[in-house]
Amino acid sequence: MTDEPIKIAMWSGPRNISTAMMRAFENRSDCRVIDEPFYASYMAITGLDHPMRADILAHHETDWRRVAAELEGELGGELADDPDGQLPAGPTLYYQKHMTHHMVPEIGRGWMAACRHAFLIRRPERVLASYARKRADVTLADIGFEQQAALFDHARALTGVTPPVIDADALLANPPVMIEKLCRALAIPFDSAMLTWPPGKRFSDGIWADHWYDAVRKSTGFQEANTAPELEDARLIAVADAARPHYDYLGNSAISAN
């Protein structure tokens, strides 16, 4: 470890156990997390009608430049909040949970040079089956597969190393092994506290948690996935087919459980 906190940017699409992964890092005694920091900026730029849109814009920073400055360590912002006085003083890790579809072209990428990057992928069918239960209309752009592949290439070119990729199915099948391998790939110590966490709300959760995080708020650890869903809606099948090449591309770099 160095004196400068290590900044970890984890990239995934929605409904990809990304909040469970955030819980795992947050349960470390040396780590602070920030939840989807560019969500409000994305909403302000695109004008899209997402659940809780007004609340998101009212409660979170909409200027992506201020968000980027915070992620680079120039501002206090949400990473400085500690209403219960429970966060570690002088943490050695800052964990950023990012949604790939939030990174529209208007949002700069320069801040990424300050981070170590990792990518969390999940089979398109699983993503869509979960997403469609929360938001009926869904496009390829909404689930971030194409953007994830582009960000993977950008992070690799920026850092000169291939970022670690974790497949959700492999992680859920063997959390201890996969979390330890992820930590090793990120050059941080493994902490067994990442495998379980207390249920309930977190002040670090974005305001959107009331709509999206009901399951993870009941969880106490990574839960093995059920049998892969069979999509029946032709529109969802078409989106899954369009997403699969991008999923396969990142899957070629996925960490093996063996």
Side-chain angles (χ1 to χ4, degrees):
M1 291 286 186
T2 65
D3 292 334
E4 180 71 18
I6 295 170
K7 300 176 177 67
I8 296 172
M10 178 66 76
W11 297 96
S12 76
R15 317 312 289 170
N16 194 358
I17 69 166
S18 57
T19 309
M21 183 67 84
M22 182 173 70
R23 287 286 191 271
F25 273 87
E26 189 170 26
N27 209 45
R28 296 176 62 116
S29 63
D30 60 354
C31 186
R32 297 180 72 166
V33 305
I34 186 165
D35 188 14
E36 301 184 25
F38 288 109
Y39 196 176
S41 305
Y42 164 75
M43 296 297 293
I45 291 168
T46 64
L48 290 172
D49 184 19
H50 277 210
M52 302 185 68
R53 172 183 167 83
D55 289 327
I56 293 168
L57 294 175
H59 285 83
H60 294 277
E61 179 59 64
T62 58
D63 185 341
W64 72 263
R65 294 169 185 83
R66 291 182 61 84
V67 175
E70 179 181 350
L71 297 179
E72 290 178 309
E74 296 176 12
L75 297 177
E78 292 179 52
L79 279 177
D81 291 342
D82 187 10
D84 300 322
Q86 297 178 350
L87 292 178
T92 54
L93 299 177
Y94 282 146
Y95 179 88
Q96 307 163 14
K97 173 197 170 192
H98 290 288
M99 293 287 104
T100 58
H101 62 290
H102 292 171
M103 298 301 291
V104 290
E106 292 87 345
I107 295 177
R109 308 293 197 264
W111 62 273
M112 291 176 62
C115 301
R116 299 180 187 180
H117 299 272
F119 288 76
L120 181 62
I121 62 174
R122 196 180 195 188
R123 291 175 57 186
E125 293 81 4
R126 290 196 185 278
V127 170
L128 287 162
S130 178
Y131 189 96
R133 289 195 292 269
K134 292 289 186 176
R135 187 166 179 250
D137 295 327
V138 54
T139 67
L140 180 63
D142 291 327
I143 56 174
F145 280 81
E146 187 173 15
Q147 301 95 316
Q148 191 173 38
L151 285 162
F152 176 80
D153 288 341
H154 182 73
R156 179 162 53 184
L158 186 67
T159 63
V161 298
T162 299
V165 177
I166 294 286
D167 191 295
D169 284 343
L171 171 59
L172 296 177
N174 198 338
V177 167
M178 296 305 293
I179 291 294
E180 185 172 10
K181 287 190 173 188
L182 173 62
C183 290
R184 190 182 312 144
L186 289 169
I188 63 173
F190 169 70
D191 187 338
S192 61
M194 299 175 72
L195 301 177
T196 59
W197 50 82
K201 297 182 179 181
R202 304 286 189 279
F203 80 85
S204 53
D205 290 345
I207 193 70
W208 49 85
D210 288 341
H211 180 82
W212 295 100
Y213 292 1
D214 51 337
V216 80
R217 283 179 166 176
K218 298 173 184 176
S219 71
T220 58
F222 293 103
Q223 300 173 347
E224 188 168 0
N226 297 324
T227 303
E230 292 290 338
L231 298 179
E232 297 181 356
D233 188 316
R235 294 171 300 174
L236 295 181
I237 293 171
V239 174
D241 288 343
R244 192 166 296 106
H246 306 293
Y247 167 77
D248 290 340
Y249 175 62
L250 269 73
N252 291 332
S253 298
I255 295 173
S256 172
N258 300 323

